[in-house]
Amino acid sequence: MGAHPSPRSPGAGGTPTGVPTAGDPGSGPAGGQSQDGLQAGLKNRHLSMIAIGGVIGAGLFVGSGAGISAAGPGILLSYALTGLLVVLVMRMLGEMAAASPASGSFSAYADRALGRWAGFTIGWLYWFFWSVVLAVEATAAGAILTGWVPAVPQWAWALLVMIVLTGTNLVSVGSFGEFEFWFAGIKVVAIVVFIVVGALAIFGLPPGDHAAGTSNLTGHGGFLPHGPGAILSGMLLVVFSFMGSEIVTLAAGESPNPVQAVRKAVNSVIWRIALFYIGSIAVIVTLLPWNDRAVAKSPYVAVLQSLDIPYAGTVMDVVVLTAVLSCLNSGLYTASRMAFSLGQRGDAPKSFATVNKGGVPAVAIWASVAFGFIATIFSYTSKDTIFQFLLNSSGAVALFVWLVICFSQLRMRRTLERETPERLTVRMWLYPWLTYATIGLIVFVVGYMFYDPDGREQMVLSVVAAVVVLAVGLILDRRRPRERAADESAAKVAERA
């Protein structure tokens, strides 16, 4: 089904081809409201820290141990390839977001470029993904806090953090931005300090006692102890830790200058991934043997303990808790803004598109939280059945999102060049060939997940979920012309009367 114009509420912006013209609401917010009627309450420092901290999740601090065990030092190549993929996808998304900022980001662009069914499908899958993430992060936060205060049950802590962060999101987008500013700041400082301390130790300076050299990179079975295929296995384990890089393109719409915010975020994504991911992982696999049990369990704690850093475990617990709360905060924001955008486009209940006095979509927030609460309950009552199904069926959404961004950019770029070339302030490199290459790489990763025994179930269930949502989208898409015709007919009858 080809691209076609879809009815939008006032302010959503768009010519019949879906590309805003100069001076329309898509060019930026006026006064205190964003282009979508949301409050433009995010400051430049908020967006800068959201962009920087958005790529640092709890998965980096904890989940990276599984990747190191699977690929050895070669995990650096896994992170580099996945990071390259993210850089290319973000460049494409940045091109579209700078030309036409929208609260629905890639879902809105898919709607315009590929068809309403595409925006519906990827929007709801993305909402589903982040709503499940709310449960994952709330459960993780509860586990850490219960370790500190055993008298309070884990479920109570999980409930408390959900309530607190729901409250901050309901007050104003500025309160969300302020919380995220400090959460992200703590993560950034922790990673930078870790890299600096680790680099000193690698060269034999305090707190190290001898230069590490390359023995841990080439010893213990070599740089690729499990063979080249382990690089791809490592990619499957790390690819989902990069989910969140795109949040800044949603948040930019609630800032005074969304185009500038998107441009800065896209231009800085390369050094952010290189420093925070590849830099910190390089410190770990250089200082410690990749097959050390402590590395598999908690790689960052293992490095700090090997350097005799006092209270290493407690320090990392604080950092991981911060990362968890940051992800929960961002997840709630992201899910609600996607629900808001879907409501604006008529792909969700109209109430989702309403805002309260603080300029935030309260109904969309409550709907996202409600699903998150239900999923959290399942994480305690049905951890190995229903909750595991939710995790697996949302696990490959990142790859689907990236594919949709690629195809949307291919279509929108041609329209932008033809109708409003002045809006191409961010351009995808080597268009269209690099876009085609990125699509090929993503398809290859998807195919490898079907082949890999550990990734097969996740991919199969994610595809099933995508097909179900797509079928619903196509059915609704076919019904809408009939509904519009019926409404027009009823209007004519009313006029005659």
Side-chain angles (χ1 to χ4, degrees), residues 354-373:
T354 59
V355 297
N356 63 15
K357 293 181 180 179
V360 298
V363 177
I365 291 174
W366 281 117
S368 303
V369 170
F371 189 91
F373 270 125

mmCIF file of all heavy atoms in Angstrom, residues 354-373:
data_model
loop_
_atom_site.group_PDB
_atom_site.id
_atom_site.type_symbol
_atom_site.label_atom_id
_atom_site.label_comp_id
_atom_site.label_asym_id
_atom_site.label_seq_id
_atom_site.Cartn_x
_atom_site.Cartn_y
_atom_site.Cartn_z
ATOM 1 N N THR A 354 -5.039 14.697 24.160
ATOM 2 C CA THR A 354 -5.366 15.857 24.983
ATOM 3 C C THR A 354 -4.224 16.141 25.962
ATOM 4 O O THR A 354 -3.479 15.229 26.334
ATOM 5 C CB THR A 354 -6.657 15.625 25.773
ATOM 6 O OG1 THR A 354 -6.494 14.461 26.621
ATOM 7 C CG2 THR A 354 -7.822 15.391 24.826
ATOM 8 N N VAL A 355 -4.093 17.401 26.348
ATOM 9 C CA VAL A 355 -3.059 17.785 27.311
ATOM 10 C C VAL A 355 -3.712 18.469 28.503
ATOM 11 O O VAL A 355 -4.787 19.054 28.388
ATOM 12 C CB VAL A 355 -2.010 18.733 26.678
ATOM 13 C CG1 VAL A 355 -1.261 18.040 25.559
ATOM 14 C CG2 VAL A 355 -2.659 20.008 26.158
ATOM 15 N N ASN A 356 -3.047 18.378 29.662
ATOM 16 C CA ASN A 356 -3.583 19.024 30.859
ATOM 17 C C ASN A 356 -3.064 20.457 30.964
ATOM 18 O O ASN A 356 -2.433 20.967 30.034
ATOM 19 C CB ASN A 356 -3.233 18.204 32.110
ATOM 20 C CG ASN A 356 -1.722 18.108 32.341
ATOM 21 O OD1 ASN A 356 -0.932 18.854 31.753
ATOM 22 N ND2 ASN A 356 -1.317 17.200 33.214
ATOM 23 N N LYS A 357 -3.318 21.112 32.095
ATOM 24 C CA LYS A 357 -2.907 22.510 32.266
ATOM 25 C C LYS A 357 -1.394 22.684 32.206
ATOM 26 O O LYS A 357 -0.906 23.758 31.885
ATOM 27 C CB LYS A 357 -3.445 23.041 33.589
ATOM 28 C CG LYS A 357 -4.972 23.161 33.628
ATOM 29 C CD LYS A 357 -5.451 23.719 34.960
ATOM 30 C CE LYS A 357 -6.973 23.834 34.978
ATOM 31 N NZ LYS A 357 -7.471 24.368 36.292
ATOM 32 N N GLY A 358 -0.674 21.626 32.537
ATOM 33 C CA GLY A 358 0.786 21.692 32.483
ATOM 34 C C GLY A 358 1.348 21.446 31.095
ATOM 35 O O GLY A 358 2.564 21.451 30.913
ATOM 36 N N GLY A 359 0.447 21.217 30.121
ATOM 37 C CA GLY A 359 0.900 20.996 28.749
ATOM 38 C C GLY A 359 1.448 19.612 28.494
ATOM 39 O O GLY A 359 2.222 19.402 27.555
ATOM 40 N N VAL A 360 1.058 18.623 29.326
ATOM 41 C CA VAL A 360 1.532 17.249 29.132
ATOM 42 C C VAL A 360 0.334 16.347 28.830
ATOM 43 O O VAL A 360 -0.781 16.598 29.315
ATOM 44 C CB VAL A 360 2.301 16.712 30.366
ATOM 45 C CG1 VAL A 360 3.542 17.535 30.623
ATOM 46 C CG2 VAL A 360 1.408 16.701 31.594
ATOM 47 N N PRO A 361 0.524 15.292 28.048
ATOM 48 C CA PRO A 361 -0.580 14.378 27.688
ATOM 49 C C PRO A 361 -0.880 13.403 28.821
ATOM 50 O O PRO A 361 -0.413 12.269 28.824
ATOM 51 C CB PRO A 361 -0.037 13.667 26.448
ATOM 52 C CG PRO A 361 1.451 13.651 26.645
ATOM 53 C CD PRO A 361 1.784 14.924 27.373
ATOM 54 N N ALA A 362 -1.678 13.849 29.789
ATOM 55 C CA ALA A 362 -1.919 13.067 31.003
ATOM 56 C C ALA A 362 -2.562 11.718 30.710
ATOM 57 O O ALA A 362 -2.169 10.694 31.298
ATOM 58 C CB ALA A 362 -2.789 13.867 31.973
ATOM 59 N N VAL A 363 -3.550 11.691 29.816
ATOM 60 C CA VAL A 363 -4.228 10.424 29.510
ATOM 61 C C VAL A 363 -3.257 9.432 28.897
ATOM 62 O O VAL A 363 -3.257 8.235 29.239
ATOM 63 C CB VAL A 363 -5.421 10.664 28.564
ATOM 64 C CG1 VAL A 363 -6.081 9.337 28.181
ATOM 65 C CG2 VAL A 363 -6.444 11.582 29.212
ATOM 66 N N ALA A 364 -2.405 9.898 27.979
ATOM 67 C CA ALA A 364 -1.411 9.024 27.357
ATOM 68 C C ALA A 364 -0.419 8.505 28.391
ATOM 69 O O ALA A 364 0.019 7.345 28.326
ATOM 70 C CB ALA A 364 -0.675 9.775 26.245
ATOM 71 N N ILE A 365 -0.068 9.349 29.351
ATOM 72 C CA ILE A 365 0.845 8.917 30.422
ATOM 73 C C ILE A 365 0.193 7.840 31.274
ATOM 74 O O ILE A 365 0.796 6.794 31.557
ATOM 75 C CB ILE A 365 1.263 10.120 31.296
ATOM 76 C CG1 ILE A 365 2.168 11.064 30.505
ATOM 77 C CG2 ILE A 365 1.979 9.647 32.566
ATOM 78 C CD1 ILE A 365 2.510 12.355 31.236
ATOM 79 N N TRP A 366 -1.062 8.062 31.684
ATOM 80 C CA TRP A 366 -1.752 7.088 32.528
ATOM 81 C C TRP A 366 -1.951 5.762 31.801
ATOM 82 O O TRP A 366 -1.837 4.687 32.405
ATOM 83 C CB TRP A 366 -3.096 7.638 32.991
ATOM 84 C CG TRP A 366 -3.005 8.608 34.130
ATOM 85 C CD1 TRP A 366 -3.371 9.928 34.133
ATOM 86 C CD2 TRP A 366 -2.513 8.332 35.439
ATOM 87 N NE1 TRP A 366 -3.127 10.494 35.358
ATOM 88 C CE2 TRP A 366 -2.601 9.523 36.183
ATOM 89 C CE3 TRP A 366 -1.992 7.198 36.057
ATOM 90 C CZ2 TRP A 366 -2.203 9.628 37.513
ATOM 91 C CZ3 TRP A 366 -1.587 7.286 37.387
ATOM 92 C CH2 TRP A 366 -1.691 8.480 38.103
ATOM 93 N N ALA A 367 -2.243 5.826 30.502
ATOM 94 C CA ALA A 367 -2.427 4.587 29.730
ATOM 95 C C ALA A 367 -1.131 3.789 29.679
ATOM 96 O O ALA A 367 -1.139 2.559 29.827
ATOM 97 C CB ALA A 367 -2.895 4.921 28.321
ATOM 98 N N SER A 368 -0.015 4.483 29.480
ATOM 99 C CA SER A 368 1.289 3.808 29.422
ATOM 100 C C SER A 368 1.652 3.227 30.780
ATOM 101 O O SER A 368 2.153 2.102 30.882
ATOM 102 C CB SER A 368 2.365 4.799 28.953
ATOM 103 O OG SER A 368 2.029 5.362 27.699
ATOM 104 N N VAL A 369 1.393 4.008 31.840
ATOM 105 C CA VAL A 369 1.693 3.537 33.195
ATOM 106 C C VAL A 369 0.835 2.328 33.547
ATOM 107 O O VAL A 369 1.313 1.369 34.171
ATOM 108 C CB VAL A 369 1.463 4.668 34.221
ATOM 109 C CG1 VAL A 369 1.523 4.130 35.642
ATOM 110 C CG2 VAL A 369 2.506 5.756 34.048
ATOM 111 N N ALA A 370 -0.428 2.361 33.140
ATOM 112 C CA ALA A 370 -1.331 1.243 33.450
ATOM 113 C C ALA A 370 -0.803 -0.061 32.860
ATOM 114 O O ALA A 370 -0.767 -1.099 33.540
ATOM 115 C CB ALA A 370 -2.734 1.541 32.916
ATOM 116 N N PHE A 371 -0.381 -0.012 31.600
ATOM 117 C CA PHE A 371 0.180 -1.213 30.987
ATOM 118 C C PHE A 371 1.467 -1.611 31.699
ATOM 119 O O PHE A 371 1.733 -2.799 31.924
ATOM 120 C CB PHE A 371 0.453 -0.974 29.505
ATOM 121 C CG PHE A 371 0.826 -2.231 28.753
ATOM 122 C CD1 PHE A 371 -0.143 -3.000 28.143
ATOM 123 C CD2 PHE A 371 2.148 -2.643 28.675
ATOM 124 C CE1 PHE A 371 0.193 -4.160 27.463
ATOM 125 C CE2 PHE A 371 2.503 -3.801 27.995
ATOM 126 C CZ PHE A 371 1.513 -4.564 27.389
ATOM 127 N N GLY A 372 2.284 -0.605 32.051
ATOM 128 C CA GLY A 372 3.525 -0.886 32.769
ATOM 129 C C GLY A 372 3.272 -1.551 34.113
ATOM 130 O O GLY A 372 3.987 -2.484 34.507
ATOM 131 N N PHE A 373 2.229 -1.088 34.831
ATOM 132 C CA PHE A 373 1.875 -1.694 36.117
ATOM 133 C C PHE A 373 1.445 -3.147 35.928
ATOM 134 O O PHE A 373 1.839 -4.032 36.705
ATOM 135 C CB PHE A 373 0.739 -0.905 36.777
ATOM 136 C CG PHE A 373 1.213 0.196 37.672
ATOM 137 C CD1 PHE A 373 0.778 1.497 37.478
ATOM 138 C CD2 PHE A 373 2.087 -0.056 38.714
ATOM 139 C CE1 PHE A 373 1.207 2.522 38.295
ATOM 140 C CE2 PHE A 373 2.527 0.960 39.542
ATOM 141 C CZ PHE A 373 2.088 2.255 39.333
#
